[in-house]
Amino acid sequence: NHASCEGLLNAKYKKAIELEKKAIAACVPDENIILAANLHMNLGYLYQYSKDFDNAKLYMKQGIALLSQSSVITNDIIIMVHNYARLLAETGESQNALNALSRCAELVKAVNTEKSTDYADLIFDMAVINIQIGNSDTAKNYFIEAFSIYKVILPQDDLAEKTELAAKYLNRIGIA
């Protein structure tokens, strides 16, 4: 997996894809379903970066299917769903992306708490996707919810960074 990450960082996607496929072939999902899901998501991510969106969706969907067979909740799962939702949004499936983020946010709230950066980041991304599809009122409400959490838990520098990022998105639609 280290070599695959190195390939991603050096934009050597073909090599990284080959290595990730070898890792998938060596992995036995019944022995470690989270690892198998993670490998599939990584391969999908590599395809996404190389602009092969069909294969990106294929492998990420396989990763999500593997995740659905597990009852284990880890931060990796949140990251995987986040990446999958970004792919969906990037390829014009905004509603599916919002659904994935919403389900993940509910899971985080049920298993952990909504007073976490994981939850707030999911809500923030829902705001961004709503801006992209023209739902500015919904986006504003999601930003308000995300920032009500960020203000309580983030250090000032991180809060300023999130505020700046939100302002960029809101400026695009003439709100900020």
Side-chain angles (χ1 to χ4, degrees):
N1 209 12
H2 174 74
S4 176
C5 290
E6 204 170 290
L8 176 62
L9 292 174
N10 295 322
K12 296 180 181 177
Y13 303 122
K14 187 175 179 182
K15 179 69 174 172
I17 287 168
E18 289 173 23
L19 293 170
E20 204 70 32
K21 283 183 174 180
K22 286 181 182 178
I24 288 172
C27 182
V28 179
D30 290 341
E31 293 176 10
N32 192 337
I33 201 154
I34 300 298
L35 175 61
N38 204 348
L39 292 171
H40 281 82
M41 294 300 286
N42 289 349
L43 183 54
Y45 199 62
L46 289 167
Y47 277 122
Q48 181 180 3
Y49 265 87
S50 63
K51 305 296 183 201
D52 183 347
F53 296 116
D54 291 336
N55 275 319
K57 283 183 189 178
L58 173 73
Y59 283 99
M60 284 192 178
K61 281 181 183 177
Q62 289 174 0
I64 293 292
L66 288 165
L67 286 177
S68 70
Q69 297 173 33
S70 172
S71 59
V72 176
I73 305 301
T74 67
N75 193 268
D76 281 352
I77 291 171
I78 297 163
I79 293 166
M80 287 185 246
V81 172
H82 239 139
N83 289 341
Y84 181 58
R86 286 185 185 129
L87 170 68
L88 292 172
E90 186 177 343
T91 58
E93 295 184 45
S94 299
Q95 194 55 54
N96 289 336
L98 288 168
N99 291 340
L101 291 171
S102 178
R103 285 192 306 269
C104 191
E106 289 305 314
L107 185 64
V108 168
K109 191 166 34 171
V111 173
N112 189 4
T113 177
E114 72 246 32
K115 301 297 181 198
S116 67
T117 54
D118 287 332
Y119 183 82
D121 287 347
L122 291 162
I123 299 303
F124 186 97
D125 282 357
M126 291 169 69
V128 170
I129 292 170
N130 273 284
I131 284 175
Q132 293 168 344
I133 60 175
N135 296 336
S136 57
D137 288 340
T138 302
K140 285 191 286 187
N141 290 333
Y142 280 128
F143 276 133
I144 289 167
E145 182 179 357
F147 277 94
S148 72
I149 299 165
Y150 287 144
K151 285 191 275 185
V152 173
I153 61 176
L154 286 182
Q156 193 60 40
D157 289 348
D158 292 346
L159 180 61
E161 187 177 308
K162 287 285 187 187
T163 302
E164 187 178 314
L165 183 58
K168 285 179 184 178
Y169 285 115
L170 291 169
N171 277 332
R172 290 181 187 171
I173 60 171
I175 292 180

